[in-house]
Amino acid sequence: MPKVNERIDLKYPIGTIWCFASDSDLWAPLVPGYIRHHKRNHHATELECKINLGILKKTLKLYIKMNDGEGSYLIPFQFASESHSIFGHGILKGQALSPSETRIFITVHVTVQGAIEPIVNTFIANAKSKFTQEIISAFEEKINKMNNDEH
């Protein structure tokens, strides 16, 4: 079972980041390979994206459920593919470093079943930093655009 642990420091206030992280309409389009998403309610989102695992190219539909956290800057979540061959859980946690800087901790546990298991596990192990950096770059671009649109 692959595990992803990331710590990211961002030069934005925690409130700005948390509004963004709490709304799948804002973050879902930033997922690499994004095709579409459907927000079922405040806590549940269906996300469809294309993944390229080297020799395997696949459209993946994930069902993501975000729970209310125990604290104000904590979002536990679960996810599963449509076929339930990929599923897992994780936590997104925010920590204000200063009024204009935030540290984000992301922990994700992924379970893969079936014939694609070795391919997906290898992909996750090799691509997690690149994937995280792509999302962070897209996030920063989106936040900058939102801030510029407000002024």
Side-chain angles (χ1 to χ4, degrees), residues 66-98:
M66 299 186 314
N67 301 319
D68 291 326
E70 296 170 13
S72 56
Y73 299 115
L74 178 71
I75 301 174
F77 59 91
Q78 297 86 36
F79 60 91
S81 65
E82 192 169 36
S83 65
H84 292 278
S85 60
I86 300 172
F87 58 93
H89 63 278
I91 293 176
L92 179 68
K93 182 179 178 185
Q95 174 187 13
L97 299 175
S98 73

Side-chain angles (χ1 to χ4, degrees), residues 56-69:
L56 178 65
K57 293 170 182 29
K58 185 174 174 79
T59 298
L60 180 65
K61 186 181 264 187
L62 287 176
Y63 298 93
I64 304 165
K65 182 178 180 220
M66 299 186 314
N67 301 319
D68 291 326

